[in-house]
């Protein structure tokens, strides 16, 4: 029994040495396998997919095509390369109306001062103190011209975003009052949507707004103001749907019924989209869709570039150009406008609609913020998962 103990001990030691050598070989095999995977990953651009047993393939038309696209293109690297350019384009769309308005104001400054003095908020002083009205309108338009031009260029160059956003927000609020356009519901609604886009941009560019609570509140306020324009159009569709004319003609009845269905569908779509944006429920996707629809409507309703041509050394305007639907004073009719004035209205509303589309794209770019139903919404969830 005494002689068997050393033999048993040697056997245990031999077994332990064998296990250690086996584990070392297994470790070397794992290292070689990992090295092989690394080499294969390097040859394939680092796109090694570890497929788990029982993993389900993506279902649905959208997911299948996004996965196929992600396999052919490195979406993450592509977005990283194009992100600065896309952000600049969105900011350019946002300030397009300010750039156009400042240029037009500088070219026809005297006409704008007369408009503010006679038809704007200073018309009650025009008869008693015309000199004072001329001074006040000149100062107000000069401040607006500086605010729009400098504020737009600063936002494009990302210089002093705090002062730039404050100046543009202040002018956006003051402009309907200064020009006496508070009764123009479309202009006021689009101005509110523009303020919402500026607040959204301010929440991300201004360092003082970068705190959790302040940024979330600013984003919430901007998100609530963004759908103001679409709520206005929903109200217009509702009013037009309820104001159908009575007729005894079958063709006219069918046409009226078809327009009623179209307007009802548009009303429901705009109301639901506005509610989703305000609540932060799939707001990035909905804002992207609303922005695309808005751009299409702007090109259809205000194609100012189609209403002018250069002939015989001067600009000629289309005589069939329709008057935009804007609120006018009671003593002024659309026939009192010159063709150039109608053209200027189309151009202004074109760039205003383009800026409101840029405001919606800012929401799609930055997200709804912390105070939202979907706080961490991903615009392209399949492509994002494919890169993780």
């Amino acid at each position: 029994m005494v002689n068997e103990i050393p033999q048993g001990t040697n056997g245990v030691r031999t077994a332990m040495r064998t296990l250690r050598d086996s584990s070392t070989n297994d470790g070397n095999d794992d290292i070689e396998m990992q090295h092989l995977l690394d080499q294969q990953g390097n040859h394939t651009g680092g796109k090694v997919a570890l497929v788990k047993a029982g993993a389900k393939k993506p279902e649905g038309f959208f997911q299948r095509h996004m996965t196929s696209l992600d396999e052919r293109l490195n979406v993450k690297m592509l977005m990283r390369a194009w992100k600065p350019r896309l952000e600049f384009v969105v900011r350019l769309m946002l300030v397009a109306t300010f750039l156009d308005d400042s240029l037009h104001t500088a070219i026809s400054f005297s006409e704008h001062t007369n408009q503010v003095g006679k038809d704007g908020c200073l018309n009650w002083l025009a008869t008693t103190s015309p000199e004072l009205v001329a001074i006040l309108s000149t100062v107000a338009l000069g401040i607006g011209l500086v605010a729009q031009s400098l504020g737009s260029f600063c936002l494009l160059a990302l210089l002093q975003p705090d002062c730039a956003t404050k100046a543009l927000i202040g002018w956006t609020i003051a402009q309907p009052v200064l020009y006496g356009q508070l009764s123009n519901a479309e202009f006021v609604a689009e101005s509110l949507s523009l303020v919402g886009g500026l607040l959204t941009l301010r929440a991300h560019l201004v360092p003082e707004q970068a705190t959790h609570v302040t940024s979330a509140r600013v984003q919430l306020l901007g998100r609530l103001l963004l759908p103001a324009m679409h709520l206005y159009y929903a109200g217009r569709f509702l009013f037009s749907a309820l104001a159908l004319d009575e007729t005894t003609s079958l063709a006219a009845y069918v046409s009226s019924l078809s327009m009623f269905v179209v307007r009802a569908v548009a009303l429901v779509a705009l109301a639901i989209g506005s509610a989703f944006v305000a609540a932060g429920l799939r707001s990035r996707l909905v804002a992207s869709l609303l922005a695309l629809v808005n751009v299409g409507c702007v090109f259809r309703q205000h194609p100012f570039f189609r209403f002018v041509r250069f002939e015989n050394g001067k600009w000629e305007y289309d005589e069939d150009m329709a008057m935009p639907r804007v609120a006018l004073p009671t003593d002024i009719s659309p026939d009192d406008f010159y063709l150039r004035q109608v053209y200027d209205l189309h151009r202004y509303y074109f760039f205003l609609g383009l800026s409101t589309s840029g405001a919606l794209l800012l929401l799609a770019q930055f997200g709804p913020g912390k105070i939202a139903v979907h706080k961490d919404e991903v615009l392209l969830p399949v492509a994002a998962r494919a890169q993780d």
Side-chain angles (χ1 to χ4, degrees):
M1 180 67 63
V2 176
N3 295 329
E4 292 179 358
I5 293 178
Q7 293 177 358
T9 303
N10 293 332
V12 172
R13 291 177 180 177
T14 303
M16 292 177 63
R17 187 180 302 110
T18 303
L19 290 174
R20 183 167 60 248
D21 295 338
S22 176
S23 62
T24 303
N25 294 331
D26 293 340
N28 293 331
D29 294 340
D30 293 339
I31 293 174
E32 291 177 359
M33 181 60 68
Q34 183 64 35
H35 182 65
L36 179 61
L37 288 174
D38 292 339
Q39 288 181 345
Q40 184 179 0
N42 293 331
H43 288 298
T44 58
K47 296 182 180 179
V48 180
L50 300 179
V51 181
K52 296 181 179 180
K56 295 182 179 180
K57 296 182 179 180
E59 299 178 355
F61 178 83
F62 178 75
Q63 290 183 345
R64 289 198 305 269
H65 284 75
M66 284 304 302
T67 304
S68 177
L69 177 64
D70 190 60
E71 291 175 354
R72 292 175 174 83
L73 298 175
N74 195 329
V75 178
K76 189 174 183 179
M77 296 298 296
L78 186 64
M79 292 301 298
R80 185 180 300 173
W82 282 91
K83 183 179 179 181
R85 298 177 178 87
L86 295 176
E87 290 179 353
F88 179 81
V89 170
V90 173
R91 292 200 307 273
L92 182 60
M93 292 177 62
L94 180 66
V95 302
T97 183
F98 300 111
L99 293 174
D100 172 73
D101 191 43
S102 60
L103 179 61
H104 185 259
T105 302
I107 294 175
S108 55
F109 191 82
S110 59
E111 296 182 6
H112 281 265
T113 54
N114 293 332
Q115 183 179 357
V116 172
K118 294 180 180 180
D119 302 327
C121 62
L122 300 176
N123 59 351
W124 59 281
L125 282 175
T127 56
T128 58
S129 303
E131 295 83 5
L132 180 60
V133 169
I135 295 174
L136 292 178
S137 58
T138 301
V139 172
L141 286 178
I143 295 174
L145 178 61
V146 174
Q148 290 187 98
S149 57
L150 291 183
S152 300
F153 285 115
C154 286
L155 281 185
L156 290 177
L158 297 179
L159 297 174
Q160 299 294 327
D162 185 17
C163 298
T165 51
K166 286 181 179 178
L168 294 179
I169 290 173
W171 176 252
T172 305
I173 296 174
Q175 190 177 22
V177 180
L178 192 64
Y179 282 87
Q181 292 292 318
L182 289 177
S183 59
N184 188 347
E186 181 179 5
F187 183 70
V188 173
E190 292 188 350
S191 298
L192 290 177
S193 297
L194 197 56
V195 172
L198 290 169
L199 289 174
T200 303
L201 185 62
R202 177 180 173 82
H204 292 272
L205 294 183
V206 179
E208 289 77 6
Q209 301 288 334
T211 60
H212 174 75
V213 179
T214 306
S215 177
R217 291 175 179 175
V218 173
Q219 283 183 285
L220 174 62
L221 180 59
R223 201 176 69 243
L224 292 176
L225 292 176
L226 276 177
M229 177 189 62
H230 295 90
L231 288 177
Y232 162 76
Y233 283 117
R236 273 182 50 179
F237 283 128
L238 177 61
F239 178 78
S240 60
L242 296 178
L244 294 178
D245 298 330
E246 295 183 359
T247 180
T248 57
S249 174
L250 179 61
Y253 175 76
V254 172
S255 177
S256 300
L257 183 61
S258 302
M259 290 302 300
F260 173 80
V261 173
V262 171
R263 290 166 181 169
V265 171
L267 168 64
V268 173
L270 289 176
I272 294 177
S274 300
F276 276 34
V277 169
L281 178 62
R282 302 293 298 173
S283 56
R284 300 183 71 180
L285 178 60
V286 174
S288 301
L289 296 177
L290 290 177
L292 293 177
V293 172
N294 190 49
V295 169
C297 292
V298 166
F299 274 89
R300 181 180 179 274
Q301 295 178 358
H302 307 290
F304 72 97
F305 42 85
R306 296 176 53 189
F307 299 149
V308 64
R309 60 188 181 275
F310 191 75
E311 293 181 356
N312 300 325
K314 62 179 181 180
W315 292 102
E316 299 289 343
Y317 300 98
D318 190 359
E319 296 183 356
D320 297 332
M321 183 169 39
M323 181 71 182
R325 294 182 180 181
V326 296
L328 299 176
T330 56
D331 56 342
I332 297 178
S333 64
D335 297 332
D336 297 332
F337 284 81
Y338 298 106
L339 288 177
R340 187 179 66 84
Q341 293 175 330
V342 178
Y343 170 80
D344 290 339
L345 286 175
H346 277 288
R347 190 192 67 222
Y348 180 80
Y349 278 96
F350 175 86
F351 285 106
L352 183 59
L354 200 64
S355 294
T356 52
S357 300
L360 288 168
L361 290 178
L362 283 174
L363 175 59
Q365 175 186 348
F366 295 120
K370 298 299 181 181
I371 308 178
V373 177
H374 286 165
K375 300 178 182 179
D376 301 322
E377 179 190 353
V378 180
L379 191 58
L380 297 176
V382 176
R385 288 197 300 268
Q387 297 297 331
D388 291 338

